[in-house]
Amino acid sequence: MLKNVLAKADEIEGKIVEYRRDFHKYPEVGWTEYRTSSLIGRRLRELGYQVLVGRDILSDEDRMGLPPGEELDSHWQRALEQGGDPEYLELMKGGFTGVAGIMEGGKGKTRAFRFDIDALPLSESDDITHFPVQEGFASVNEGVMHACGHDFHGAAGLGVAELIAENRDDLKGTVKLIFQPAEEGVRGAKSMVARGLLDDVDRVVGFHVHEYALGEISSGLSGFIATKKFDVLIDGKPAHAGGEPQDGANALLAAATAVLNLHAIPRHRDGATRINVGSLRSGSGRNIIPDRAHMIVETRGADSGLSRYMYEKAERVIEHSCRMYDCAYEILPMGEALSGASDPELMRLVEETAEQIGGYVCIDKHTSFGSEDFTYMMAKVQENGGKAVNIGIGADKIGDGFHSRNLDLNEDALKKAMVLISMLAFR
């Protein structure tokens, strides 16, 4: 089995690198990954997978942070013009992006493998020393780039798909390959879980490329920070600021009061808690009582309970701040992730598999200090009695790091990732 997987991986490595470069050249932000998703769907079908897209894998009401309709439409049209598959694009209209490929083998457990595919709203470096510029695959979509390695994830996922398909006779149980939209801003996983995509899964595996040296891996990351992202829309009443100030309801003052008191929420003794108001916009003129305000906020906690504590306190602060100034308000959920931990049993399996393959070094880095909505998938499977793991895979540090304009990664990590993940599918 391993010999076959390694031989096939050598054969297809160049093709997987080209997938990565294609995804990098045509990046798409969360809920607009039309081209990316449609091409993945087409390739999975060619490999013999049952392909699910659109409303079959996403709960409409659980999608968070959805762009405006006109933006979704323009990005859909762009995807069509840039070579997206028309058949799958039609099923994804309205921001129903992402793909699941399912392959059934003999009797055995159901395993899911998650690959996130969205890019970031960031302009890519045009410096000639930047490798994608040198090789001609830098982003052509203005203001969007793959600055977090999700182009690697999507391409590696297609590599895994081909390695499994090539050896399907040796597959025991069912494999689900989940290409998730809108991970940035932690918006997409909850919708897939709510749609039931993980209900029958016994084992779920995620991975992320990291700035470890090539070949280094973390067999399982834990300690993900729980978070809630939300917008607050405050509605007041305009009035002449000089002549009739008593007739107005000042949305700006309600928002300002909320901001100060949100940052004054007591921190919790049981662990780290955070809150941040990242943006406040309000007002239209110097002689008009501001009637609208828009706040962008996030809360965080070392675990889901602490995150909930901060959010519930924030809700009360916003409510009472608005009542002070006779303003109405609405809180819009924009993203959410839970805390989470990898299961030791699967971590040991990752280590054993890496040793069996050879060429990997397991390093003692098992704590993540960020937020990751893969935790929704982990939690669902673990609640149902299954196991979950999130692997860190070294891809070297090139450029200034993740979420920077000149991020690049070592493309040799693609084969490292797809071989490890596919062998886990067979084990």
Side-chain angles (χ1 to χ4, degrees):
M1 165 58 64
L2 176 57
K3 183 178 179 181
N4 292 342
V5 167
L6 289 173
K8 186 65 177 180
D10 286 339
E11 177 188 329
I12 68 174
E13 182 180 10
K15 176 169 58 176
I16 303 307
V17 168
E18 288 306 311
Y19 288 153
R20 178 261 165 158
R21 294 186 179 189
D22 180 75
F23 294 155
H24 190 95
K25 187 173 183 176
Y26 300 99
E28 299 166 299
V29 296
W31 302 126
T32 73
E33 311 96 325
Y34 295 114
R35 180 185 183 277
T36 306
S37 298
S38 71
L39 296 181
I40 289 171
R42 184 173 70 191
R43 182 59 183 144
L44 290 174
R45 183 175 62 188
E46 291 169 352
L47 290 169
Y49 287 81
Q50 176 192 358
V51 178
L52 301 177
V53 299
R55 288 173 172 81
D56 288 336
I57 59 171
L58 294 167
S59 167
D60 187 3
E61 59 269 27
D62 291 286
R63 292 184 301 164
M64 295 179 286
L66 203 66
E70 59 272 17
E71 187 176 327
L72 292 173
D73 292 343
S74 68
H75 287 178
W76 186 93
Q77 185 63 38
R78 183 185 68 186
L80 183 63
E81 294 167 359
Q82 291 181 341
D85 183 273
E87 178 184 349
Y88 284 116
L89 286 176
E90 192 65 31
L91 299 172
M92 297 174 184
K93 280 185 173 179
F96 287 91
T97 51
V99 188
I102 301 174
M103 182 167 288
E104 296 181 358
K107 184 178 180 181
K109 295 184 182 298
T110 297
R111 288 92 78 205
F113 298 86
R114 179 273 217 159
F115 313 92
D116 42 3
I117 58 174
D118 56 324
L120 284 158
L122 189 66
S123 295
E124 186 159 15
S125 171
D126 59 2
D127 193 299
I128 191 60
T129 63
H130 184 46
F131 184 68
V133 174
Q134 291 177 353
E135 296 298 313
F137 66 93
S139 171
V140 299
N141 291 340
E142 186 177 353
V144 184
M145 75 166 287
H146 273 291
C148 199
H150 297 186
D151 50 339
F152 267 66
H153 300 170
L158 286 179
V160 171
E162 188 156 351
L163 293 176
I164 292 174
E166 179 74 11
N167 297 278
R168 70 189 70 194
D169 291 343
D170 294 305
L171 186 65
K172 301 295 188 292
T174 298
V175 165
K176 292 187 177 184
L177 304 181
I178 300 172
F179 294 82
Q180 182 204 311
E183 188 282 325
E184 300 293 352
V186 290
R187 296 173 289 159
K190 183 178 181 180
S191 178
M192 290 184 139
V193 171
R195 188 64 181 85
L197 193 58
L198 282 296
D199 285 357
D200 62 346
V201 171
D202 302 294
R203 304 285 185 267
V204 64
V205 176
F207 86 96
H208 203 295
V209 286
H210 280 267
E211 295 174 323
Y212 318 148
L214 181 69
E216 292 184 342
I217 63 170
S218 167
S219 60
L221 295 167
S222 299
F224 295 100
I225 304 298
T227 183
K228 278 182 172 285
K229 323 285 189 185
F230 55 97
D231 286 9
V232 183
L233 305 180
I234 300 176
D235 286 321
K237 181 182 177 183
H240 194 291
E244 297 171 322
Q246 73 283 353
D247 292 336
N250 198 315
L252 173 57
L253 288 181
T257 300
V259 169
L260 292 175
N261 285 282
L262 287 170
H263 281 274
I265 292 173
R267 299 306 182 256
H268 204 288
R269 70 177 184 180
D270 290 343
T273 51
R274 300 284 187 270
I275 189 164
N276 189 57
V277 180
S279 174
L280 166 57
R281 289 179 241 170
S282 182
S284 57
R286 73 179 68 250
N287 63 345
I288 304 170
I289 300 293
D291 67 321
R292 300 268 176 111
H294 180 193
M295 299 162 53
I296 297 176
V297 192
E298 70 167 16
T299 58
R300 295 179 187 260
D303 59 42
S304 298
L306 291 169
S307 179
R308 185 167 55 250
Y309 160 81
M310 291 298 290
Y311 180 73
E312 290 173 352
K313 287 287 188 182
E315 283 185 308
R316 293 182 60 193
V317 166
I318 293 163
E319 175 191 357
H320 291 287
S321 297
C322 290
R323 286 176 61 184
M324 285 177 65
Y325 293 96
D326 297 321
C327 293
Y329 71 95
E330 182 180 8
I331 298 177
L332 303 177
M334 302 300 288
E336 185 174 359
L338 309 175
S339 55
S342 294
D343 284 295
E345 176 184 325
L346 285 193
M347 292 172 65
R348 286 192 295 272
L349 182 63
V350 171
E351 292 163 6
E352 292 167 5
T353 304
E355 182 179 358
Q356 177 193 9
I357 298 168
Y360 300 89
V361 177
C362 294
I363 59 175
D364 188 20
K365 291 186 178 179
H366 300 292
T367 301
S368 170
F369 297 101
S371 298
E372 163 64 88
D373 70 349
F374 178 63
T375 52
Y376 265 104
M377 298 186 182
M378 297 175 78
K380 182 63 178 180
V381 172
Q382 289 167 335
E383 288 167 4
N384 288 343
K387 305 291 183 183
V389 70
N390 197 359
I391 306 166
I393 295 182
D396 290 333
K397 179 177 181 179
I398 303 174
D400 293 328
F402 288 97
H403 293 209
S404 67
R405 296 178 63 237
N406 65 347
L407 174 77
D408 192 31
L409 297 164
N410 189 333
E411 291 179 332
D412 291 342
L414 286 165
K415 187 168 73 170
K416 291 284 188 184
M418 66 184 182
V419 168
L420 178 62
I421 300 300
S422 61
M423 284 302 297
L424 287 171
F426 290 107
R427 294 198 71 185

